[in-house]
Amino acid sequence: MNLIFMGPPGSGKGTQAKRIAAAYNLVQLSTGDMLRQAIEEGTEVGRQAKSVMDAGEYVSDDIAVAIVSEKIATPECSSGFILDGFPRTLNQADSLDKMLTAKGMEIDQVVEIRVDDEKLIARIAGRFSCSDCGAAYHDQFNRPKREKVCDICGGIRFTRRDDDNAEAVAVRLEVYYGQTAPLLPYYDAQNRLVSVDGMMDIDEVTKQIKSAINGHGDD
Ligand code: AMP
């Protein structure tokens, strides 16, 4: 089963992609995580991406397509993947179609997670993640069970994203609605789009996604 998760920043797409990937044994391909890793490693791609990402803008389609095509070609992805944060432009969607056709693969479903802007801003303002395993938390909505200890790996180091500040978030929302939201009718026209209500709590959204992708679970 090959899925795309779409939703504005703060919709919970990364958190849900992790849960669904674990439940269905899929590889999660987060372009945002890959780019943050490139920045940390100080690679040429990371160097080019840093200031663009901090400002809330998108990196070039060439960079995004290159990092995804490299990963999609790996054997782990042949048994199924979730694209989290890609494609983000119609041009990227077109490149993805070509990439998959060449490999005899296809996208089974595109999961859109819908959340109101007000809630997105509140969610982004308080979020942080485990520096060791990437597990996502929130100051208000999803604290670790033991104060300052990751529930998943026991790590004690946490990070907050450089682009989770008010100015960058405003740009990220604008760029999402301008450049990425037009992909929804594109996938809807192919009968691949399912939309879930991302305003509910984390477990409930996971449940909704599972029932929305039901029928593709054995692919
Ligand atoms: P995310 O972690 O998905 O919120 O992505 C964080 C940032 O990485 C975005 O705001 C963009 O600057 C960049 N990024 C991630 N994926 C893409 C993509 N497919 N195309 C362009 N930029 C991307």
Side-chain angles (χ1 to χ4, degrees):
M1 174 167 61
N2 302 322
L3 304 171
I4 294 173
F5 276 27
M6 284 186 57
S11 58
K13 123 184 102 57
T15 300
Q16 296 297 338
K18 270 197 186 62
R19 289 174 158 224
I20 299 295
Y24 293 86
N25 206 13
L26 306 171
V27 178
Q28 179 196 5
L29 298 175
S30 159
T31 42
D33 285 350
M34 292 179 216
L35 290 165
R36 280 183 288 276
Q37 195 183 338
I39 292 173
E40 207 161 294
E41 290 170 356
T43 66
E44 179 55 26
V45 164
R47 207 186 49 73
Q48 286 178 33
K50 169 81 177 137
S51 57
V52 180
M53 285 174 73
D54 284 354
E57 304 279 356
Y58 285 171
V59 304
S60 72
D61 287 339
D62 286 350
I63 289 183
V65 169
I67 57 176
V68 168
S69 62
E70 197 183 300
K71 294 274 178 181
I72 260 182
T74 61
E76 304 87 76
C77 286
S78 60
S79 48
F81 57 79
I82 299 178
L83 284 168
D84 158 14
F86 182 93
R88 264 176 150 106
T89 63
L90 282 164
N91 193 15
Q92 291 178 18
D94 191 43
S95 298
L96 176 65
D97 286 345
K98 294 192 174 110
M99 215 185 284
L100 294 177
T101 305
K103 293 179 178 25
M105 298 159 93
E106 64 174 338
I107 295 297
D108 297 295
Q109 284 194 303
V110 178
V111 178
E112 178 203 11
I113 305 179
R114 287 191 179 161
V115 177
D116 295 349
D117 282 4
E118 245 171 65
K119 183 134 187 168
L120 295 173
I121 291 164
R123 280 186 181 179
I124 291 174
R127 70 181 182 178
F128 58 98
S129 63
C130 170
S131 307
D132 294 324
C133 74
Y137 296 101
H138 192 281
D139 291 330
Q140 232 181 312
F141 312 123
N142 181 27
R143 301 180 67 86
K145 292 191 183 75
R146 279 176 58 203
E147 195 65 19
K148 298 187 180 146
V149 180
C150 176
D151 296 347
I152 308 296
C153 74
I156 52 166
R157 294 179 311 131
F158 295 92
T159 47
R160 288 179 195 261
R161 286 171 47 165
D162 289 341
D163 59 351
D164 275 353
N165 60 76
E167 302 84 70
V169 168
V171 175
R172 284 160 68 199
L173 284 172
E174 197 182 310
V175 176
Y176 175 81
Y177 291 116
Q179 297 199 43
T180 305
L183 292 178
L184 298 168
Y186 174 82
Y187 286 118
D188 195 24
Q190 299 175 6
N191 280 325
R192 293 179 213 268
L193 184 69
V194 290
S195 297
V196 299
D197 177 4
M199 302 284 283
M200 293 163 308
D201 74 37
I202 298 176
D203 288 342
E204 188 53 40
V205 178
T206 306
K207 225 191 262 174
Q208 282 216 11
I209 296 175
K210 285 183 176 173
S211 81
I213 61 179
N214 229 357
H216 285 277
D218 301 326
D219 288 5

